[in-house]
Amino acid sequence: MNAASTRKPLLNVLAGNREPVPPIWLMRQAGRYLPEYRELRARAGSFLDLCFTPELAAEATLQPVRRFGFDAAILFSDILVVPYGLGRRVSFEAGEGPRLDPLETPAAIAALPPRLDPSVVEPVYEAIRLVRCELAPSVALLGFCGAPWTVATYMIAGRGTADQAPARLFAYHEPEAFGRLMDRLASASVEYLVGQFRAGVDAVQIFDTWAGVLPAAEFARWCIEPVRRIVAAVRAEVPGAKIIGFPRGVGTSLAAYVENVAVDAVSLDWTVDPGFVRDRIQSRVAVQGNLDPLALVAGGTALDRGVDAALASYGERPFIFNLGHGILPETPLAHVERMVERVRRAA
Ligand code: CP3
């Protein structure tokens, strides 16, 4: 264990140790449930301007840590920065989610550039350097990227879709071209994560939000395999790089994930069976999660029971408290405060 990990509870857990009080942060902790975020967002104009103006992205990153004293800050950015850095058009329409120019043909995949546009990723790295200067030494700074499969679901459809059918169909019709897209996104992700580590993040999370829609064989081919290669390639450049995986919604296929992908922790969604996780997952790696974001919206006894259940299920071994997916915009601030207090008091 190095000096940095002894000072940062979250890194101590990623090193395989239990913290008496589990470190806590929340997916999407910088966002619309915070009045100060809504004010900053209105000032920035567009969501992408907010992502690509280092001072503003740094401010959005720090807001939730200031308000709630979380143990980690997560870089304010988006997984769709990678397609943008590969020359695809990306925009965020208010209330409608992301829009991209759909990637529809093998020829369009073959035409993707070999590297990320430095003018796109440099402001992200600058935001990391700015946050680093402001953050207390006990708070970890997390970078992230989307896993190739999840990013591809947006690139192919040009938008979020209910069942990711466009990408699933494309992968069946054009497996070779789809494989080339996975390779391209995997190498762009390696470049991007290594850039984030060099700029100063302590650890990264790889978000595979839509992993759960694939049959087991396709999950192995399009999720496990590319992420396995990303983890190995990042560690070849950044020895010992700490990496959290989040293959959301995959149920018992989590076992295949941790057997094949050398992550330091997995983030759990709220549907997994705790006994299965204790026997098959937490015996190998640290876990993070997994309160239902709607229990946090509900508050009261639903919230208290959810917090207590996660602590009882996972708190005896290396554990990071989090939600099972991103915090929802309608979440009351008082419920977040109550959750943080309860996690810290329970130990
Ligand atoms: O966690 C954090 O606070 C850091 C910032 C972060 C954002 N997006 C900011 C954001 C992170 C880690 C992400 C990841 C992300 N982005 C994922 C994976 C995690 C997940 O939640 O599943 C995905 C699938 C995306 C793509 C994306 N970005 C969608 C589908 C949307 C629209 C839906 C929505 O929540 O509005 C976004 C926009 C987005 N990314 C917002 C924020 C704060 C809201 C935009 C706004 O402020 O108008």
Side-chain angles (χ1 to χ4, degrees), residues 25-32 37 41 47 50-51 64 74-80 92-98 144 146 150 154 160 207-210 246 248 325-326 329:
W25 68 281
L26 306 180
M27 289 187 256
R28 295 284 190 100
Q29 66 188 20
R32 287 162 296 185
Y37 172 81
R41 171 84 166 73
F47 176 71
L50 183 48
C51 289
I74 181 161
L75 168 69
F76 186 81
S77 188
D78 197 82
I79 65 167
L80 301 178
F92 290 83
E93 310 298 335
E96 287 187 39
F144 69 91
T150 286
Y154 291 97
F207 287 91
D208 217 346
T209 303
W210 303 120
F246 182 35
R248 190 171 77 96
H325 195 196

Side-chain angles (χ1 to χ4, degrees), residues 166-191:
R168 287 157 60 201
L169 261 182
F170 189 94
Y172 287 128
H173 281 308
E174 302 281 358
E176 277 168 29
F178 193 75
R180 281 195 295 278
L181 176 59
M182 293 290 98
D183 292 347
R184 212 35 234 95
L185 289 172
S187 57
S189 303
V190 172
E191 181 189 342

Side-chain angles (χ1 to χ4, degrees), residues 78 89 92 118 215 222 261 299:
D78 197 82
R89 259 197 308 270
F92 290 83
W222 304 131
V261 185

Side-chain angles (χ1 to χ4, degrees), residues 202-258:
D202 296 302
V204 297
Q205 178 154 321
I206 301 176
F207 287 91
D208 217 346
T209 303
W210 303 120
V213 300
L214 294 174
E218 279 71 19
F219 172 63
R221 184 174 184 188
W222 304 131
C223 297
I224 289 181
E225 186 50 28
V227 177
R228 186 189 65 74
R229 283 189 283 125
I230 290 170
V231 168
V234 168
R235 295 226 181 95
E237 302 275 329
V238 182
K242 292 295 176 207
I243 302 177
I244 305 168
F246 182 35
R248 190 171 77 96
V250 302
T252 52
S253 289
L254 262 183
Y257 188 88
V258 299

Side-chain angles (χ1 to χ4, degrees), residues 122-171:
E122 270 308 321
V124 176
Y125 303 151
E126 181 57 18
I128 292 169
R129 289 188 282 266
L130 293 176
V131 173
R132 191 76 272 176
C133 299
E134 301 278 326
L135 221 49
S138 62
V139 180
L141 176 55
L142 302 176
F144 69 91
C145 72
W149 161 252
T150 286
V151 174
T153 65
Y154 291 97
M155 291 178 84
I156 288 175
R159 56 191 297 157
T161 48
D163 51 8
Q164 293 73 51
R168 287 157 60 201
L169 261 182
F170 189 94

